[in-house]
Amino acid sequence: MTMIYIGLTGWGDHDSLYPPGLAAKDKLSEYAAHFPTVEVDSYFYAIQPRANVEKWIRETPPSFQFIVKAYQGMTGHERGPIPYESKEEMVAAFLESIAPFQEAGKLAMVLFQFPPWFDCRREHVAYLRSVKARMGEVPAALEFRHQSWFSPRFRAKTLRFMEEEGWIHAICDEPQAGEGSVPIVLHPTHREKTLIRLHGRNVHGWNKATAGENWRAVRYLYRYNERELREWADRIRALAAKTDHIYVLFNNNSGGDAADNAKELIDLLGIEYAGLAPRQLDLF
């Protein structure tokens, strides 16, 4: 039977989950009372100290699963100087950092999300091969942001390449906003695992959010309605026939909607998770 893990991208900003005044350091353990998986997006900005990872492992139940977002220097997003002398040193530091997740049986996968300018061309295919080789046996998911990978010309070749190289497909739901977005492609490329990331459908925000401090708040401002969630429930049931573990992450949290939408989808799929963390109770 396929396992379906539904969660959010990060655990810090979901006010509806937490009792008033809950300290930031206590939020992950409370988050794990609601959901069985989470994306650790802090890795995108900096490879995390081992002490952080060990703390997160202690604060979550044995069955909890982490999806680690690849460091920006590994996906060509560099926003400032990279504090490593070589790609090899950077990857070695990343692998050493995530090792405790693996040892605890809590690493679902590493997510490689490539930027909108990473288009389908020969040198980028070669880079994907080198990245996958460096990851070795670490499960790795691939998310594109440039439409060319799924154009009529390249779609079948892209999916076949991902299957042959052992990439987990990160299926996206996002605004259809030109070259810098990809369509929903309901094709698992890995028998064991498939990732679904729901970014919302704010077309205006997606196009406008290219600069400035508030781009993230604009881009992910969206709440899925019941019809859209029912459609995704049907898609997930269909995908369950083709892959053993499905991970679903809601990233539409600019307006605090991700947690509510995730719980709605759990209800629509009739899932009752066992082994969640004990939930803190409000005094009043």
Side-chain angles (χ1 to χ4, degrees):
M1 181 178 175
T2 297
M3 283 293 298
I4 301 169
Y5 306 82
I6 297 174
L8 313 175
T9 55
W11 59 84
D13 301 323
H14 310 290
D15 292 342
S16 65
L17 296 181
Y18 306 125
L22 185 68
K25 66 181 179 62
D26 297 325
K27 285 186 174 179
L28 177 57
S29 57
E30 177 66 9
Y31 172 97
H34 297 268
F35 302 109
T37 189
V38 75
E39 180 183 303
V40 191
D41 59 355
S42 54
Y43 265 92
F44 176 80
Y45 303 99
I47 295 174
Q48 296 297 299
R50 197 178 180 102
N52 287 5
V53 177
E54 290 170 348
K55 175 178 181 289
W56 298 334
I57 290 168
R58 288 195 304 270
E59 291 175 347
T60 51
S63 60
F64 193 86
Q65 296 290 292
F66 291 90
I67 296 167
V68 175
K69 195 168 185 182
Y71 176 56
Q72 60 178 319
M74 297 159 69
T75 53
H77 281 91
E78 293 94 335
R79 295 170 179 164
I82 298 297
Y84 301 98
E85 292 186 3
S86 67
K87 287 276 187 187
E88 289 71 26
E89 181 186 335
M90 176 175 59
V91 172
F94 182 83
L95 291 173
E96 182 181 357
S97 174
I98 66 171
F101 286 131
Q102 293 175 275
E103 292 159 8
K106 290 188 173 186
L107 180 67
M109 67 192 74
V110 174
L111 167 64
F112 286 83
Q113 181 196 67
F114 284 89
W117 54 88
F118 190 84
D119 58 354
C120 187
R121 65 175 75 175
R122 191 181 304 276
E123 53 264 42
H124 288 163
V125 171
Y127 183 72
L128 291 175
R129 279 205 175 92
S130 69
V131 166
K132 189 67 177 61
R134 287 189 178 112
M135 287 296 101
E137 296 302 310
V138 175
L142 181 53
E143 177 178 342
F144 294 115
R145 279 282 171 88
H146 194 280
Q147 205 174 66
S148 58
W149 296 94
F150 295 121
S151 66
R153 180 184 174 192
F154 292 124
R155 174 176 165 143
K157 292 179 180 178
T158 294
L159 293 169
R160 186 168 64 249
F161 166 79
M162 292 172 69
E163 290 169 356
E164 291 171 351
E165 294 289 313
W167 284 103
I168 296 162
H169 187 189
I171 298 169
C172 293
D173 184 314
E174 62 193 35
Q176 296 308 289
E179 284 189 346
S181 60
V182 296
I184 296 170
V185 179
L186 298 171
H187 184 107
T189 56
H190 194 281
R191 176 67 225 189
E192 188 177 343
K193 296 179 179 181
T194 295
L195 176 62
I196 297 168
R197 297 182 83 234
L198 301 163
H199 297 296
R201 300 176 180 179
N202 184 348
V203 176
H204 173 76
W206 199 267
N207 283 330
K208 297 295 183 183
T210 55
E213 294 182 6
N214 296 323
W215 68 270
R216 188 178 297 276
V218 174
R219 171 169 280 182
Y220 301 111
L221 185 62
Y222 190 80
R223 188 179 187 93
Y224 287 93
N225 61 39
E226 184 177 348
R227 179 186 58 77
E228 291 165 338
L229 292 174
R230 285 189 181 279
E231 188 174 31
W232 265 111
D234 290 341
R235 289 167 173 161
I236 290 165
R237 291 186 190 102
L239 290 169
K242 303 174 184 176
T243 190
D244 295 336
H245 298 82
I246 298 175
Y247 298 80
V248 183
L249 296 172
F250 281 83
N251 192 35
N252 57 320
N253 198 51
S254 299
D257 296 309
D260 291 344
N261 275 166
K263 291 198 168 194
E264 290 171 59
L265 183 59
I266 289 170
D267 289 342
L268 286 171
L269 287 166
I271 297 172
E272 291 187 17
Y273 290 115
L276 295 178
R279 187 174 300 185
Q280 292 192 27
L281 297 176
D282 256 334
L283 185 58
F284 298 105

